[in-house]
Amino acid sequence: SQELEQSPQSLIVQEGKNLTINCTSSKTLYGLYWYKQKYGEGLIFLMMLQKGGEEKSHEKITAKLDEKKQQSSLHITASQPSHAGIYLCGALPSTGNTPLVFGKGTRLSVIA
Amino acid sequence: NAGVTQTPKFQVLKTGQSMTLQCAQDMNHEYMSWYRQDPGMGLRLIHYSVGAGITDQGEVPNGYNVSRSTTEDFPLRLLSAAPSQTSVYFCASSSRLGYTFGSGTRLTVV
């Protein structure tokens, strides 16, 4: 079965600093989703990547999928308190409509 | 608004009680799934369905039962609640275009 490892598990950054969260798989990723979750709330869809080398950006968040399709990174530029929360990566382990497999999440705190 | 609706949002059960968590979607998605989220564990798949009348087990199915009689609804039943089932439960529906999650049900078993 596919396992996703997220790193770091938790992160505390000063407001205005850049940060990167990684999501690594032992197998090929056929689709990689990034979600954000505010404490005690639901999942907010950020981005989905499918092709090797693909990169997408939305506001100050950029997500990349490596050429081998086994690792994805989420980069936040000039972090703000609104970026705080839990970031989850979810992967499609095969083609077609299959269940997402999730990493354990990265808890991000942004301090002034 | 189109999406996934979960009810209730909060529930407290006593050990041994049974209950059903409701999930409904209006996007005509064939695929639906249930996850539970525990601190530090991410989301773990409980059961999923690829269409009406078809269900299958995920990573942590014990203690839960599902059925899919219509495309729209995918209820999750707790047969005899245990404190280990205290968690936040998320329902999702999906198509080839992506996944949509409900807002979650926070369940506490005392």
Side-chain angles (χ1 to χ4, degrees), chain B residues 18-80:
Chain B
S18 62
M19 79 158 294
T20 300
L21 279 63
Q22 302 291 345
C23 177
Q25 54 98 0
D26 58 2
M27 297 171 284
N28 203 32
H29 287 168
E30 290 295 324
Y31 200 96
M32 296 184 75
S33 47
W34 276 102
Y35 292 85
R36 61 177 286 174
Q37 184 179 31
D38 302 295
M41 297 295 290
L43 273 72
R44 292 183 292 170
L45 182 67
I46 304 171
H47 285 284
Y48 64 99
S49 169
V50 298
I54 306 170
T55 64
D56 205 348
Q57 296 180 351
E59 180 186 356
V60 288
N62 293 340
Y64 306 96
N65 190 271
V66 293
S67 61
R68 185 95 179 272
S69 57
T70 67
T71 299
E72 294 78 20
D73 300 299
F74 190 42
L76 178 72
R77 296 181 187 85
L78 279 70
L79 308 173
S80 177

Side-chain angles (χ1 to χ4, degrees), chain B residues 13-16 36-39 41 44 46 60 62-64 78 80-89 107-110:
Chain B
L13 286 179
K14 292 183 179 179
T15 298
R36 61 177 286 174
Q37 184 179 31
D38 302 295
M41 297 295 290
R44 292 183 292 170
I46 304 171
V60 288
N62 293 340
Y64 306 96
L78 279 70
S80 177
S84 61
Q85 293 179 303
T86 293
S87 187
V88 180
Y89 292 84
L107 175 67
T108 302
V109 182
V110 297

Side-chain angles (χ1 to χ4, degrees), chain A residues 33 35 37 40 97-100 103, chain B residues 31 35 37 94 98-99 101 106:
Chain A
Y33 290 74
Y35 291 90
Q37 186 179 30
N97 212 351
T98 56
L100 281 178
Chain B
Y31 200 96
Y35 292 85
Q37 184 179 31
S94 65
Y99 273 71
F101 282 85
R106 185 173 293 275

Side-chain angles (χ1 to χ4, degrees), chain A residues 40-60:
Chain A
E41 298 183 9
L43 279 70
I44 301 168
F45 172 75
L46 295 175
M47 277 168 273
M48 195 266 276
L49 306 166
Q50 281 188 302
K51 300 177 183 176
E54 187 174 9
E55 179 175 321
K56 290 185 178 179
S57 293
H58 178 67
E59 296 181 344
K60 295 184 177 181

